[in-house]
Structure formats: C-alpha cells, structure tokens
Amino acid sequence: MSRSQGSSSSLKRKRPGLSSPSQSLTDHERKLYDVIRSRKDMGIWTRDMKKETNLPDNVVNKSLKALHAKNLIKEVVNIQNKGRKHYMAAEFQPSKELTGGSWYVAGSLDTDFIRSLRMFCVKYIAEEKVATVEKVTELIRGNGAFAVEVTKQQVEEIVRALVLDDEVMEVMSNGTEEFGSVPVGNVCYKCVGKGRSGGVKAIIGAMASIPCGVCPRISLCTPDGVISPRTCVYYTKWLDF
C-alpha cells in the first residue's frame, strides 16, 4: 500500500543558524541564492534565475552545484512542468501549486493511496450505517493502515468523490434510529451501493426517504412552531405520495 512506510515531511520552515553556510558564499553564489530564496515556497525555474541574475550559464550551473552541496537549496518537482529544473531554498516546503498537494508524491499522482483511502471510507461508512466525515477520519487514523496522518480534508474530498460516483449519499441527520449518534441537522453519509464485504447492498431505512432527512431547517422544526410537520409542504407531498 502506498505510504505504508516512512513518515510525513515537516511543514515547518527551518531558519539558518548563526553558523549557516550562507555566510561563506561567493558573490555569484550569494546573488543566485538571494534570487532563489526570494521565491519562497514557489521556487524558480533555472531559465528565470538566469534572466534575473544576468549570470552566464556556466556560472549559474557551478553556483547551483555549490549551493546544493552546502544544503542551501534543493531541486523540486513542478507537476505543471516536470521537464524543467526547479529550485527553492532548503528552508521552504514546496507549495501545493508545485507539488499538486497531498494526492501527489514526487510529482506523481498517488493512485494507490487514493484507492486505499476510498476503500476505507466506504468500509467505515457501511459499518457505521451512517457516519460523518469526522467519524470516518477518526476510524481511519485509528486503524494504523497509513504511516502518514490522514487529514479530515482528504477524507472529505474522497467522500465527495464517492457521492458523485453514487457509492455513498449525503443526508441530514434527524437524530432518530440510525441517525441517533449524529446531532440533528448535521451532514452525514451512508452507502447506497456495495457498502459491505461480499457485495451486500446497504439497507436504507424508511426514514431516509423522508424530506426531513435532508431538510436544512430540521433543527428549527417543532410540532407547534413556525416550521413544523403540519405546515411543511414537502412533508405533505411525501405523505400523499
């Protein structure tokens, strides 16, 4: 499984210490380093740094090797232009615009990670019958299947994709029966296809088809209130159906 070993990279910036190698640079190396460092987490293409510094190609190449040997810069992959050599100061982590975000590793889409995460999302939604993104994230983090920490945003993006693929459905909790563990009015998800192992189709309870299940005003609905089952045109249509 992808990302099953190793650890996640740190997102914190590292500042050069007092004895930093950057204090012992030649004029050409300093000029090139300042240009690269000024681009922060976006880095810079070699052709652009040559234009900005007005240094000859051989001087730029020599200076890049020296800066790299002193661990002051690093080469990074730009997913938009993988054939171009891109550099940034070692103290920065590449931006999402460069790397493609959490779904990419070394400039390539991590399909194994995405496939595994989809599988676990469907698995836990089916097991819970109804689950929020927070609950699914908690269960995935607890199973130890991934060496890196899966984020809530990643799970949310996967679940949205599953909704578009008609593998799960987004519903609003009414606080009763299978929704008992989810506060009233909160968005949650349930399987509509092959949720469980063996290809058994998830059973959708009768309450799921009631308009209350997706009503954004359900938390304000009371028997004798302004918003109530008695005055709800959608509930009346459902009863007539």
Side-chain angles (χ1 to χ4, degrees):
M1 179 183 297
S2 177
R3 309 191 193 189
S4 59
Q5 296 180 351
S7 60
S8 59
S9 60
S10 172
L11 297 179
K12 296 181 180 179
R13 287 180 51 184
K14 301 175 183 177
R15 295 187 177 277
L18 295 177
S19 59
S20 170
S22 64
Q23 296 180 347
S24 59
L25 299 178
T26 66
D27 290 341
H28 291 155
E29 290 168 1
R30 167 62 64 184
K31 189 174 185 179
L32 192 62
Y33 177 64
D34 288 344
V35 169
I36 295 173
R37 191 168 182 270
S38 69
R39 296 303 181 89
K40 299 182 179 180
D41 61 353
M42 289 301 296
I44 183 173
W45 180 30
T46 51
R47 182 180 293 180
D48 290 334
M49 67 177 73
K50 290 174 184 178
K51 289 180 180 179
E52 290 196 27
T53 60
N54 289 318
L55 295 174
D57 288 358
N58 63 321
V59 174
V60 169
N61 294 334
K62 183 179 178 180
S63 298
L64 284 174
K65 289 180 180 179
L67 293 172
H68 199 280
K70 294 176 182 179
N71 295 318
L72 291 174
I73 64 170
K74 57 187 175 183
E75 186 174 352
V76 294
V77 177
N78 183 346
I79 62 167
Q80 303 297 330
N81 296 286
K82 293 183 180 180
R84 296 180 178 180
K85 286 195 173 183
H86 216 80
Y87 291 90
M88 71 172 47
E91 63 187 282
F92 297 102
Q93 291 298 328
S95 65
K96 290 183 178 180
E97 288 81 359
L98 285 180
T99 64
S102 58
W103 304 120
Y104 285 77
V105 173
S108 298
L109 186 65
D110 196 343
T111 54
D112 289 339
F113 177 60
I114 295 172
R115 187 181 302 111
S116 298
L117 196 52
R118 282 178 63 99
M119 178 189 72
F120 279 114
C121 285
V122 174
K123 176 180 183 293
Y124 289 131
I125 292 174
E127 290 180 354
E128 295 292 313
K129 295 185 178 179
V130 171
T132 61
V133 167
E134 290 79 6
K135 181 63 177 179
V136 175
T137 304
E138 175 188 336
L139 292 170
I140 290 176
R141 286 177 178 174
N143 68 14
F146 302 99
V148 298
E149 182 175 290
V150 175
T151 66
K152 176 187 172 184
Q153 181 179 349
Q154 288 175 320
V155 172
E156 190 170 16
E157 290 177 9
I158 290 292
V159 170
R160 285 177 181 173
L162 291 171
V163 171
L164 293 175
D165 292 339
D166 289 329
E167 292 190 49
V168 303
M169 63 185 296
E170 181 180 298
V171 293
M172 194 82 72
S173 172
N174 56 23
T176 64
E177 298 186 359
E178 59 188 9
F179 296 97
S181 62
V182 182
V184 174
N186 280 22
V187 173
C188 48
Y189 300 88
K190 62 189 305 177
C191 286
V192 296
K194 296 181 178 180
R196 302 179 181 276
S197 60
V200 179
K201 191 171 185 178
I203 300 174
I204 301 177
M207 289 294 291
S209 62
I210 299 178
C212 309
V214 293
C215 178
R217 301 293 184 184
I218 190 170
S219 59
L220 304 176
C221 185
T222 58
D224 299 314
V226 176
I227 300 175
S228 73
R230 295 179 182 178
T231 59
C232 179
V233 294
Y234 301 105
Y235 187 71
T236 302
K237 288 181 179 179
W238 180 81
L239 290 175
D240 293 339
F241 182 79

